[in-house]
Amino acid sequence: MVIGLTAAALLDLHADAGSLFLAMASAAQIPIPRFAGYADLPGVRLWYTDSGGSGVPVVLLHANTGNADSWQYNIPGLVEAGYRVIAFDRRGWGRSTANPGTGPQPGTIAEDLHALVEYLKIDRFHLVGVAGGGFAAYDYVLWHPERLRSMVVAASGGAIVDEELRQLRQKTGLPGFASWPPEFREVSMGYMATNPEGLQRWLEIHHHSRQAGAPAQPQRTTITFAKLASIRVSTLLMPGDQDLQTPPWVMRRQLAHIPGAQFIVLPEAAHSINWEQPEAFNRNVLEFIGKH
């Protein structure tokens, strides 16, 4: 891993978000992030981190099995490359809490994202979504394409509604897959075998992800292949070659419909692609967004 923090140390820091990000910055020898805390937005008290600075903003959207801590091995490298990096816990995940007194529930991730960038007075930005975060990335680009410089969707089925795709996925699904332990669904066997500390930290983050009883946020729009064909924002699709949940062939279906999209299959990575291969993930993201 890029950052030399033990799982135990990171757990101790989980309750103190500011301390966590100070430790991350120190470990990576980069400037200390300016903020880790809450924004009171319509319907939600949203927990987010912001590295600050004058760099072009990059917003990170975490997977359903994670929260903003899932980016701890990616943020330092992105900041070191000169970007302003923002990540947040989705409503009902991690430290973000729904607030029915200030807005409708459960809202959508895209609406919470838009409220946050408006709150931070960010105009145009790069958007990176992994797995469930990719659902929200598609939802947002279809709503506010003018706000995006580029978009990266990694290890994500995209929440696409398509009967042919549904039938193909049903035919090729592994028996009882939905009931497998999360690490076997999300993490590659190679990573589990060679990085037990990283796996333990991944599980700790997973267990601090979705809050008990929190309703899932729906999409603002039903995502279809026809709607993907309307995307004109520069897009990179990046599956992992060992992803059992969203194998590369599934993302190639998305590639066929997004004009000009680029496609990179990341070796030795499963569904938790940015966590398992942070250096390779960052390298590909930085090369892509650096062109836009």
Side-chain angles (χ1 to χ4, degrees):
M1 285 297 181
V2 177
I3 300 174
L5 294 176
T6 67
L10 284 163
L11 262 187
D12 290 341
L13 291 168
H14 183 84
D16 184 344
S19 296
L20 171 60
F21 268 69
L22 288 173
M24 287 170 56
S26 175
Q29 296 182 333
I30 59 175
I32 296 172
R34 292 186 178 181
F35 185 83
Y38 289 92
D40 288 313
L41 305 176
V44 61
R45 191 162 191 250
L46 198 77
W47 190 91
Y48 74 100
T49 66
D50 183 357
S51 70
S54 59
V56 174
V58 178
V59 179
L60 307 174
L61 298 174
H62 67 75
N64 291 346
T65 48
N67 57 46
D69 294 346
S70 301
W71 298 104
Q72 67 187 52
Y73 298 123
N74 306 103
I75 290 173
L78 297 174
V79 173
E80 190 174 39
Y83 291 94
R84 176 185 177 184
V85 184
I86 296 144
F88 65 93
D89 288 352
R90 287 155 39 183
R91 189 186 310 201
W93 263 253
R95 292 141 289 208
S96 292
T97 55
N99 187 350
T102 62
Q105 302 299 325
T108 70
I109 305 168
E111 288 165 336
D112 289 346
L113 165 62
H114 192 65
L116 179 62
V117 295
E118 290 286 283
Y119 174 84
L120 296 174
K121 296 179 170 56
I122 291 171
D123 182 14
R124 298 181 69 233
F125 58 96
H126 301 288
L127 184 59
V128 180
V130 166
F135 304 177
Y138 280 149
D139 205 12
Y140 191 79
V141 74
L142 293 171
W143 181 30
H144 279 296
E146 78 285 355
R147 300 299 289 269
L148 297 187
R149 293 173 177 267
S150 76
M151 177 177 66
V152 178
V153 175
S156 182
I160 296 162
V161 176
D162 180 82
E163 182 57 23
E164 181 188 14
L165 178 61
R166 187 194 67 78
Q167 291 182 15
L168 284 171
R169 301 215 65 184
Q170 188 175 44
K171 288 179 182 178
T172 58
L174 293 165
F177 185 72
S179 64
W180 290 15
E183 63 270 33
F184 286 90
R185 287 185 280 113
E186 305 270 341
V187 181
S188 72
M189 300 300 173
Y191 186 85
M192 288 194 281
T194 60
N195 199 329
E197 288 188 1
L199 176 63
Q200 182 60 35
R201 177 57 183 150
W202 184 90
L203 286 167
E204 289 157 357
I205 293 172
H206 169 58
H207 292 315
H208 288 91
S209 56
R210 189 170 181 179
Q211 298 158 13
Q217 291 182 291
Q219 306 295 112
R220 286 191 76 260
T221 185
T222 300
I223 299 170
T224 64
F225 285 132
K227 289 178 181 175
L228 293 189
S230 72
I231 294 174
R232 295 297 181 267
V233 171
S234 296
T235 300
L236 170 65
L237 303 179
M238 185 162 44
D241 70 345
Q242 297 182 30
D243 191 342
L244 299 178
Q245 186 143 300
T246 307
W249 73 264
V250 173
M251 296 202 72
R252 286 189 189 278
R253 295 271 169 149
Q254 300 165 36
L255 175 69
H257 292 86
I258 302 175
Q262 296 184 33
F263 194 82
I264 296 171
V265 180
L266 201 64
E268 297 188 64
H271 205 56
S272 294
I273 186 170
N274 64 297
W275 181 269
E276 294 183 55
Q277 297 291 344
E279 292 180 352
F281 182 89
N282 277 15
R283 182 172 61 251
N284 285 294
V285 168
L286 287 169
E287 182 178 352
F288 176 72
I289 67 177
K291 299 173 184 176
H292 305 288

